[in-house]
Every structure is written in structure tokens, then in C-alpha cells.
């Protein structure tokens, strides 16, 4: 399992790589809303700080254990370039299972 923040960071890395690939391309695509659906486990730690963590689970690993419960969430992310309202331009080779 990975934390939700790590999954979003990995998505940002992949989108940044696609933007880099688009720099010299004749045909580019404007990146619109990114919908991300994940199943995750909410877990409350028993420490004094009582932190709540969101762990993304792999397909087929749905269930619950101890003090955790599995939920499904859909996030809609609106990518923007730093200090700009412009939408990023992306390109590059299609990845396996990419739509």
C-alpha cells in the first residue's frame, strides 16, 4: 500500500514527464481535468497525536482489518502551471492500458 499523497506525487511526476516530451512536438494536447479513482484504507493511529492516514490499496486487496476501513474516492484534479492559469500541454508515447 502507498499513501494517497505519494500516489498524487507519482501522478505529478508522470504528467511532468509528458509535458517535457511535448516541448518540441508539433501536436500537443491540453491537459484538462484529471479524474483519479482509488480505493483506500483510513487508519487511525493509536499514538498521542491521533493521526489519520489514507493508504491506497491494490486491486483485489479490498477489506478491512483492525481499526481500518476501506473506502472508494474519486478525486478531480485541475492541473495548472505554477504562477499561471494556463493548462499544461502534454504529449509522448502512450503507456500500457492508457486511454
Amino acid at each position: 500500500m502507498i499513501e494517497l499523497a505519494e500516489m498524487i506525487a507519482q501522478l505529478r511526476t508522470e504528467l511532468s514527464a509528458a509535458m517535457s516530451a511535448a516541448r518540441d512536438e508539433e501536436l500537443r494536447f491540453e491537459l484538462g481535468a484529471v479524474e483519479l479513482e482509488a480505493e483506500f484504507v483510513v487508519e487511525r493511529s493509536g499514538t498521542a497525536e491521533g493521526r489519520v492516514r489514507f493508504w491506497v490499496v491494490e486491486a483485489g486487496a479490498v477489506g478491512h482489518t483492525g481499526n481500518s476501513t476501506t473506502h472508494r474516492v474519486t478525486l478531480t484534479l485541475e492541473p495548472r502551471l505554477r504562477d499561471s492559469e494556463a493548462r499544461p500541454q502534454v504529449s509522448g508515447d502512450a503507456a500500457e492500458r492508457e486511454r
Side-chain angles (χ1 to χ4, degrees), residues 7 23 32 52-54 58-59 66-68 77-79 82 88:
M7 182 178 74
R23 276 192 191 28
V52 174
R53 299 177 83 164
F54 295 86
E58 293 182 33
N67 294 329
S68 64
L77 308 174
E78 292 285 342
R82 182 179 355 165

Side-chain angles (χ1 to χ4, degrees), residues 14-94:
E14 291 296 321
L15 292 174
S16 293
M19 286 174 51
S20 293
R23 276 192 191 28
D24 298 324
E25 294 292 330
E26 179 76 23
L27 176 64
R28 296 187 292 180
F29 304 99
E30 183 178 87
L31 182 60
V34 176
E35 289 194 15
L36 185 64
E37 184 174 301
E39 291 185 348
F40 64 96
V41 173
V42 177
E43 179 180 85
R44 183 183 306 265
S45 67
T47 63
E49 54 186 43
R51 183 175 179 191
V52 174
R53 299 177 83 164
F54 295 86
W55 298 95
V56 178
V57 296
E58 293 182 33
V62 177
H64 65 288
T65 60
N67 294 329
S68 64
T69 308
T70 302
H71 301 271
R72 180 178 301 221
V73 66
T74 301
L75 303 174
T76 301
L77 308 174
E78 292 285 342
R80 295 284 187 259
L81 298 174
R82 182 179 355 165
D83 301 327
S84 172
E85 286 298 310
R87 291 185 184 266
Q89 302 289 311
V90 297
S91 183
D93 296 331

Side-chain angles (χ1 to χ4, degrees), residues 93-99:
D93 296 331
E96 183 179 331
R97 298 175 53 197
E98 183 176 42
R99 290 192 274 172

